[in-house]
Amino acid sequence: MTDDKTMNLDDQPLTDNTAEHTAGEQDLAIDATTPEAGASAGASRAETELADLKDKYLRLAAEFENYKRRTAKERADLFKTANQELMVALLPVLDDFDRARQHTQDTQDPAALQNALDITYNKLTKTLQQKGLAPMNAKGGDFDAELHEAITQIPAPSDDLRGKIVEEIEKGYYLGDKVIRHAKVVLGQ
């Protein structure tokens, strides 16, 4: 229950701008009703400009759609042929394996077989190193959970190997600076 003298904030008029709005509306009404000689020329110029802007917008939108389509196609092609460079580099190694199999097929000499395997292995590791692959050297070092995966723990053969990597079960590898396979190791207690 409010007094007549006190008004709610919602009931109070903000400002009395009706006179200003009315005068402004009358001015616009007068301007709109008075014909000018350049009014039709201005309207056609605005329509021409609007048509030009619409045309530019449509061309830009079409160009962007073409760009998206082209980059999606290039990306799909890149994924299809991403390993092509590596495969081409490994083909000579595959050829060496074929030659080694052919030449050692009828031989009973284990030294010839070992020699063929060593040559092919060295060529394969050299090719992979050229492509950025690097082996980890884990044996005898400290265990790092970021680089190594502990398989088991055994009693350390010596005191200096206590808490260190005693044996490397599976070699770990880097590709550039990134670990692509963690080394599987045995820790000494």
Side-chain angles (χ1 to χ4, degrees), residues 2 19 61 70 90 118 131 134-135 144 184:
T2 60
R70 185 176 63 247
L90 290 177
D118 287 343
K131 297 299 177 188
D144 184 359
K184 294 182 180 174

Side-chain angles (χ1 to χ4, degrees), residues 9 14 19 30 89 92 107 109 131 133 136 187:
L9 291 176
L14 296 174
I30 292 172
T107 187
D109 186 17
K131 297 299 177 188
L133 188 72
M136 287 184 195
L187 296 177

Side-chain angles (χ1 to χ4, degrees), residues 15-27:
T15 55
D16 190 15
N17 293 333
T18 56
E20 293 175 22
H21 288 295
T22 308
E25 290 172 2
Q26 290 172 351
D27 291 341

Side-chain angles (χ1 to χ4, degrees), residues 3-62:
D3 294 326
D4 291 335
K5 293 180 182 177
T6 59
M7 290 178 89
N8 289 339
L9 291 176
D10 296 335
D11 296 338
Q12 293 178 0
L14 296 174
T15 55
D16 190 15
N17 293 333
T18 56
E20 293 175 22
H21 288 295
T22 308
E25 290 172 2
Q26 290 172 351
D27 291 341
L28 289 177
I30 292 172
D31 288 343
T33 57
T34 54
E36 292 186 15
S40 62
S44 65
R45 187 175 55 134
E47 288 174 2
T48 306
E49 188 175 326
L50 179 64
D52 288 344
L53 289 175
K54 281 184 181 180
D55 184 53
K56 285 180 184 179
Y57 171 74
L58 290 175
R59 288 179 188 273
L60 186 62

